[in-house]
Structure formats: C-alpha cells, structure tokens
Amino acid sequence: MTGTTSTDHSVLFDAEHAKLFDLVYTARRKDYAAESKAVVQHIRARKPGARSLLDVGCGTGEHLRSLKDVFFDVEGLDLTPAMRELARNKLPQVPIHAGDMSDFALHRTFDAVICLHSSIAFLPLSRLKPAIACMARHLNPGGVLIVEPWYSPERATDRTVVSDIVRRDDGLTIARVSRGVIRDGEHHLETHFIVADADGVRHSADTQVMGIFRREEYQAAFAGAGCDPEYFEDGLAGRGLFVAVRR
C-alpha cells in the first residue's frame, strides 16, 4: 500500500483506499439509513411527488442503498473508478456514471439531486459555482438540490485529531488516525491506516484537502444557478446542509 497526496479523487482513492474508506465508514456506525431518511423528508417537503434522484459524488453507494427503495428512479455519479466499482457491486441495478461534479452531462433531468458526505469540498473555490450550476441543470423545474458542505470557517477546527478502530470477525483490523491542519483557507487532513490480517500488517497514508467555504459563497452559487437555498445548521452530521429548490 502506498501513500498519496492530492486533491484529485481519482488519485486519492485507489482500489485499496476505497475499500478502507468503505469499511471504516460503514463500521464506525455512520448511519447512512438515517441520513437518507432525513434527505427524503427534505425532498418530500418541497416536491411531494418526486420520483427520480441523482446522487453526485455517490462514493461507494451507501446512501443509494436506502434511497433506491424510496424513489422509483435513482442514479449515481462519481469521479473515482474504485468508488464506482464498489457502488456497482453493491447496486447492480442502479446506473453509476463516471463524471466530475463540476462538469458532467447525463442528458436528462431529475426531481432531486443530492451531493452528500461533504464531497463538494474536494473542489477548489473556483469550481464551486460551476458544480452547483451543473447539478442544477440536471434538475426538473421545482426540483430539489441538497448539498452537504464541509465545515464553515467559523466551525472548522485547526490541529484536530480523530481516530477509529475497526475489527471484523475474520480477524481483519483497521486503525485509522487523521489530523487536520488549516492552511490558506483549506483543511489538510492527513490520514494514516494500519491494516492487519492473517497475511501481515500494512501501512498507508494520504492527505485530503477540503475547501473551507463561507456560507455566502454557497448561497451565491445557488442563486447564480437559479435555486433558492435554505441552510440547516446541524445538517446530517454536524457540518450544515443546504436545501434548495430550482426556480
């Protein structure tokens, strides 16, 4: 296993890192089902008859697992080949597209478009407006756009350390330690994995760079894309949530 340092999803998440990401986040009791339920409530409150949904930055497909049972027509999109492969293995009946969230064209529209897990923050600020505009173009009139940001400047914490340990019945153990440092308006998250199983012990590391955007910058992007946003402070996981309706 090797370390990487990049803001490019396709580099950050090779096949091994995608599997580790999936194992850690599902095992650490991130409640994808509860988050999906909250997303559905936001959508139904604004477009009760919504039948179609696109998950942008869908990752390994965990939110789509729940959402496919609610909406008649769901699809996903992700930049990273390894993430798409895992999502397709879980959800063989769900179309999972390759694409950059700031510049994709599926040649169709949806009743709802979502972008969760702070995926939007992997983009630099210069691509925030294009990304929101691209998602909005894939909405039907009156459709709902939901975006989960990374921490705002007021809530981002410098020099923070978080950790997880995952143990499976087959003996696989994963220790994950991450340290976040704020530099030049970005959150640099250095993450180390130690993986142990019957074949040995391995180490890998990567650094993810997350944009710390101001609420006003998001709101301007939504307005420019023809959407009226509401902001919810706690959101799904304490990082806030934007819920917008396309005019």
Side-chain angles (χ1 to χ4, degrees), residues 107-215:
H107 307 293
R108 63 158 298 185
T109 54
F110 300 81
D111 292 325
V113 175
I114 64 174
C115 182
L116 307 180
H117 220 314
S118 300
S119 299
I120 191 78
F122 280 100
L123 300 176
L125 180 59
S126 62
R127 289 167 63 194
L128 176 61
K129 286 186 176 180
I132 297 296
C134 190
M135 294 182 214
R137 285 196 297 271
H138 287 78
L139 277 174
N140 295 321
V144 182
L145 174 57
I146 297 179
V147 175
E148 183 178 22
W150 186 240
Y151 295 105
S152 64
E154 299 79 16
R155 302 179 72 179
T157 305
D158 192 22
R159 307 173 73 85
T160 301
V161 175
V162 297
S163 62
D164 301 279
I165 296 179
V166 175
R167 297 183 179 89
R168 290 200 324 196
D169 292 341
D170 62 3
L172 175 69
T173 299
I174 303 169
R176 172 183 176 269
V177 178
S178 181
R179 178 177 179 266
V181 177
I182 297 174
R183 292 199 302 269
D184 301 323
E186 296 177 322
H187 222 157
H188 295 251
L189 306 178
E190 180 184 354
T191 301
H192 291 256
F193 292 95
I194 295 177
V195 182
D197 57 21
D199 295 325
V201 180
R202 300 174 297 283
H203 169 262
S204 69
D206 64 53
T207 298
Q208 301 175 15
V209 181
M210 310 290 285
I212 304 173
F213 308 142
R214 293 182 293 110
R215 187 185 306 181

Side-chain angles (χ1 to χ4, degrees), residues 80-103:
T80 310
M83 293 289 200
R84 294 196 304 271
E85 181 179 0
L86 288 172
R88 287 167 179 158
N89 289 339
K90 294 176 186 179
L91 305 164
Q93 304 305 316
V94 175
I96 305 294
H97 305 280
D100 181 328
M101 68 174 67
S102 65
D103 183 22

Side-chain angles (χ1 to χ4, degrees), residues 36 39-40 53 63-71 74 114:
S36 298
V39 165
V40 171
L53 177 142
H63 288 109
L64 283 172
R65 269 185 158 172
S66 297
L67 294 168
K68 70 179 177 57
D69 296 328
V70 177
F71 297 100
V74 300
I114 64 174

